[in-house]
Amino acid sequence: MRKVIQFHQTSVENGVLVLHTEQDDLLEGVQAAGQIIADSDRFAFVYLAENAEEYVYLYLEEPIWQELKNVLESGMPVMARGSERTLELHQFQDELQYLVENIQGNGNYGDEMVAKVEAVFFN
C-alpha cells in the first residue's frame, strides 16, 4: 500500500517553510529522495521520500501552492514536521522550479492542472 503524507497547514519559522502533518508515524525512518513529481488528478506536487522498504509520498496540494511559490521567490528551505519528527526536503527549490516550468503550457499534465499551476506560479 502506498504511504501518503498530507500537509494542510504551513508556517514560516526562522526563515524555513514548515509543512505540518499529523501523520508523524509515517515520517519515522524516512529520508528525503530529492525529487518532486506531479499528480495531475489530485492537483498536487508530490515530494518523494523513502524508508528502507518503499517510497513515501509527501502530497503538496493546491491550497498550499502560494506558500510554495514564496519558497521559489525567497529560496527558503522546506521541512516536513510531525509532532516528534522533522524531515528536511533536500533539492526542493530546484525540483519545484523545474517541474512548474515543465508544466507551464504543457497539455500532457491536463488542461486544468496547467491552468492552476499557471495561475499561481506565473501570475
Side-chain angles (χ1 to χ4, degrees):
M1 176 143 207
R2 179 185 281 200
K3 292 190 176 170
V4 173
I5 300 176
Q6 302 214 346
F7 303 93
H8 300 290
Q9 183 181 10
T10 66
S11 63
V12 176
E13 300 173 17
N14 299 316
V16 175
L17 178 68
V18 179
L19 307 170
H20 298 276
T21 184
E22 295 177 8
Q23 299 169 284
D24 189 69
D25 58 319
L26 294 181
L27 287 173
E28 185 174 3
V30 170
Q31 295 182 347
Q35 183 178 4
I36 300 176
I37 60 175
D39 183 337
S40 299
D41 294 331
R42 289 182 54 183
F43 307 114
F45 300 112
V46 183
Y47 185 92
L48 299 180
E50 54 193 343
N51 59 30
E53 298 144 7
E54 62 196 336
Y55 278 113
V56 177
Y57 300 87
L58 285 64
Y59 265 75
L60 310 167
E61 294 174 321
E62 187 180 3
I64 65 168
W65 285 6
Q66 185 59 52
E67 288 85 351
L68 301 183
K69 179 183 181 185
N70 294 343
V71 164
L72 292 181
E73 292 172 346
S74 68
M76 77 176 79
V78 180
M79 300 187 90
R81 181 183 296 156
S83 59
E84 297 179 21
R85 296 169 182 86
T86 301
L87 175 66
E88 184 175 354
L89 306 185
H90 302 290
Q91 296 178 269
F92 190 92
Q93 293 86 355
D94 291 340
E95 285 289 311
L96 184 61
Q97 186 69 47
Y98 174 80
L99 186 56
V100 297
E101 288 175 0
N102 193 44
I103 292 171
Q104 184 181 25
N106 187 342
N108 291 333
Y109 289 92
D111 292 341
E112 196 170 354
M113 178 72 165
V114 171
K116 289 177 181 287
V117 167
E118 289 176 349
V120 172
F121 291 92
F122 297 99
N123 285 327

